[in-house]
Amino acid sequence: MKAIVRPPRKCASFTVENTISFQCLHQAVRTRSSPFAKATPPRPTTARLPYTQVITEPSASSPPALSILDFPTLFRSYLISAVSCTPFILNPSLRLLSLLTHSTSPLLRHNRILHFILKKTLYKHFCAGETPSEVKRTIAELKARGFKGAIVAYAKEIVLDEQTTVKNCRADEARDVRTWKNGVLETIKLTERGDYAALKFSGAGLSIMQQLINKSAPSAAISQANDEICECAKFKGVKLLFDAEQHAVQDGIDQWTLDLQRKYNRGAEAVVYGTYQAYLRSVPATLALHLTIARREGFTLGVKLVRGAYLASDPRHLFWATKEGTDNAYDGIAESLMSKQWNRVLSPGEPDVMGQLAFPNVEVVLATHSHESVRKVISIRQEQIRWGGQRISLAYAQLMGMADEVSCELVQAGQQSDGMWEAKTEKPQAYKYLVWGTVPECLKYLLRRAEENRDALARAKDGRAALGKELRRRLLRL
């Protein structure tokens, strides 16, 4: 009997239908090449995972990403975006907010009418609440919309300016540190396992600021508070993000945070994360040094990557000369961390002979309002899934009240991924960064958000257009 020779079965080729697709972000995975033109990571050599289901383009009836927002939030977002795009309204508003922020007059600081107006407008849009019950309600609303979790931060901080000095500080350090510690511990109580708590060392008072400026070892009071905070977070399964601050104190913050990572990031997961601001020219070298230290000493490096928020207060020469320079630094660092490989932006502080210098274990919070940066990382992650490559622990984060068009698309992507039986696709873990505290405590934070909207006018216009389109869709449906 003559044997029948069957031709080998062909594997399904990789096309756009094999990738997860959603509104804007699906465009990021249309190409097999890396999205970074100047530093392409080598293709993993492991066998690629088979796709178990063909994922098609969303139908025309798919709801827009911004449809997950309730109408009051959508309408308020549109109004604030419109103001941010209108300089003759925004500029006097910023001057008024700056006056309120820096004033010590009881007439302004404790004015009930101003308090009411602020709380119902800017505060409600950007902040989570003044009391634990208000914050818990805000977090519950976010999770009900589909967010993986929340990054919750206590608003108390100090921002240095010409009127603020820490020399010869006579502050009661023990009292200030205790108040700050209690606020952070209360923040951790508001979170659940899988959430993040963010904190600023400057909230611990002027004495701590002086130690950070001097790059001193932490005093007994702040050291004990740090340990208590870290132990509490570790016990509850919550991760700590130590936020970046002004350049005058950042070197001290980096050192303190790295010491805490040495102590608490020895397990399978990171507990402590440091924050790296890509708009600083020094950050690639700083992060490369920290990665090298983590590899040598055997701990996981927790990285929160941001572009930066202190343009108005830090010396201009510290930054990249152009926005393109900041974008290239941010995206290059993100690519290196995603692939766990050095590149032209993030290179080791010692010779990497034949590419043998290993990358340490790393966990990342990608904090960005840029659609393009998110798409690039989504593309890398999808490529890693395609070829069976190892992926790092990653969360995406945007500030509450900002970049909702980015956040909602990430949420929608996760929801679509949930509905795909055994589909091997990237499921983004989307978080919102929430600040809580009294209205006066949150004024410095609100001022930075307003200034950020002014400085990112092009992005604000894109956001306003997306919000306006969704608003019109709902009004025309009535």
Side-chain angles (χ1 to χ4, degrees):
M1 182 174 174
K2 187 176 180 180
I4 300 175
V5 179
R6 298 182 183 272
R9 294 180 64 184
K10 294 182 179 181
C11 294
S13 61
F14 180 82
T15 66
V16 70
E17 286 81 8
N18 296 110
T19 68
I20 184 167
S21 175
F22 51 95
Q23 297 295 316
C24 258
L25 295 180
H26 76 271
Q27 296 178 4
V29 293
R30 289 183 180 274
T31 175
R32 295 179 58 169
S33 63
S34 169
F36 299 92
K38 298 183 178 179
T40 304
R43 180 179 296 168
T45 56
T46 52
R48 64 173 171 174
L49 295 173
Y51 280 77
T52 57
Q53 180 176 344
V54 174
I55 304 166
T56 58
E57 297 282 348
S59 66
S61 60
S62 297
L66 287 170
S67 64
I68 71 173
L69 296 180
D70 59 76
F71 187 81
T73 300
L74 176 66
F75 185 67
R76 186 174 60 247
S77 296
Y78 179 77
L79 288 180
I80 291 178
S81 295
V83 169
S84 299
C85 298
T86 311
F88 74 87
I89 299 177
L90 178 62
N91 291 335
S93 300
L94 280 175
R95 286 194 291 270
L96 176 59
L97 185 58
S98 180
L99 177 64
L100 290 173
T101 302
H102 299 106
S103 174
T104 57
S105 169
L107 183 63
L108 292 176
R109 299 285 289 184
H110 303 290
N111 188 300
R112 292 185 178 181
I113 296 176
L114 289 175
H115 180 282
F116 178 83
I117 294 172
L118 273 175
K119 184 164 184 180
K120 295 301 181 182
T121 53
L122 284 178
Y123 181 91
K124 186 171 181 62
H125 188 67
F126 292 112
C127 302
E130 291 191 275
T131 64
S133 61
E134 290 178 355
V135 177
K136 287 183 177 180
R137 184 165 59 249
T138 301
I139 295 173
E141 290 171 355
L142 282 174
K143 292 184 177 180
R145 291 175 188 166
F147 284 91
K148 172 67 175 178
I151 301 172
V152 189
Y154 182 43
K156 188 176 181 182
E157 62 175 305
I158 294 172
V159 177
L160 299 176
D161 55 27
E162 292 79 1
Q163 286 75 43
T164 307
T165 177
V166 297
K167 294 180 179 179
N168 302 318
C169 173
R170 300 180 184 276
D172 186 338
E173 179 182 321
R175 181 200 62 204
D176 289 345
V177 169
R178 184 171 57 252
T179 301
W180 171 76
K181 180 194 72 174
N182 291 339
V184 175
L185 292 176
E186 184 64 35
T187 300
I188 295 173
K189 290 179 183 178
L190 296 172
T191 60
E192 299 176 348
R193 179 173 292 274
D195 288 337
Y196 296 79
L199 57 159
K200 292 181 181 292
F201 278 124
S202 65
L206 289 173
S207 177
I208 302 306
M209 292 287 279
Q210 187 170 25
Q211 294 174 43
L212 291 169
I213 290 173
N214 295 336
K215 302 181 182 63
S216 306
S219 64
I222 190 67
S223 182
Q224 183 178 350
N226 287 338
D227 284 337
E228 193 171 338
I229 289 167
C230 290
E231 292 290 351
C232 179
K234 184 177 180 180
F235 177 79
K236 193 169 182 180
V238 172
K239 302 187 178 188
L240 296 172
L241 305 180
F242 284 83
D243 281 340
E245 302 194 47
Q246 290 169 281
H247 187 263
V249 296
Q250 190 57 51
D251 288 345
I253 291 173
D254 286 343
Q255 188 56 57
W256 288 10
T257 304
L258 196 64
D259 287 342
L260 290 172
Q261 294 199 59
R262 284 187 174 101
K263 185 173 183 178
Y264 291 99
N265 289 6
R266 294 288 179 179
E269 296 183 353
V271 176
V272 176
Y273 288 62
T275 300
Y276 300 85
Q277 302 182 99
Y279 70 177
L280 294 173
R281 291 173 175 270
S282 60
V283 155
T286 299
L287 178 53
L289 175 62
H290 292 180
L291 288 165
T292 302
I293 292 172
R295 176 183 60 81
R296 286 175 177 170
E297 300 184 18
F299 63 89
T300 298
L301 192 71
V303 176
K304 176 188 169 190
L305 184 61
V306 303
R307 276 176 166 78
Y310 292 90
L311 278 167
S313 57
D314 277 346
R316 187 67 186 85
H317 70 273
L318 298 172
F319 310 139
W320 298 104
T322 63
K323 180 182 179 300
E324 182 182 6
T326 297
D327 291 342
N328 289 339
Y330 188 96
D331 291 339
I333 291 171
E335 181 199 17
S336 179
L337 295 174
M338 294 305 112
S339 60
K340 294 184 69 174
Q341 294 177 354
W342 305 105
N343 61 20
R344 61 181 296 273
V345 175
L346 194 62
S347 57
E350 56 188 82
D352 186 8
V353 181
M354 302 296 292
Q356 297 302 309
L357 190 55
F359 220 83
N361 190 33
V362 63
E363 296 185 5
V364 176
V365 173
L366 194 78
T368 178
H369 294 168
S370 167
H371 258 133
E372 187 172 355
S373 293
V374 169
R375 290 170 188 154
K376 288 176 178 179
V377 170
I378 287 282
S379 179
I380 291 174
R381 302 276 286 183
Q382 195 66 40
E383 189 82 350
Q384 289 171 335
I385 293 174
R386 174 190 171 193
W387 295 105
Q390 183 183 9
R391 291 177 296 156
I392 67 169
S393 173
L394 172 67
Y396 300 86
Q398 289 80 40
L399 296 170
M400 179 177 173
M402 298 183 72
D404 284 332
E405 68 279 6
V406 177
S407 301
C408 292
E409 287 176 356
L410 288 166
V411 169
Q412 190 178 65
Q415 292 171 340
Q416 290 180 354
S417 179
D418 280 339
M420 298 169 184
W421 181 69
E422 292 186 347
K424 291 181 171 57
T425 57
E426 166 75 344
K427 179 182 177 181
Q429 307 296 304
Y431 288 76
K432 274 291 190 183
Y433 184 106
L434 317 176
V435 167
W436 78 282
T438 64
V439 172
E441 286 175 332
C442 292
L443 282 175
K444 292 184 177 68
Y445 175 81
L446 290 173
L447 180 60
R448 284 203 304 279
R449 298 290 74 80
E451 290 173 340
E452 186 174 344
N453 273 341
R454 177 196 60 192
D455 295 334
L457 186 59
R459 190 181 69 225
K461 288 181 177 178
D462 290 341
R464 182 184 65 172
L467 292 164
K469 183 178 180 181
E470 174 62 14
L471 191 59
R472 287 191 299 273
R473 185 187 73 86
R474 295 197 198 182
L475 292 175
L476 291 174
R477 194 176 57 184
L478 296 177

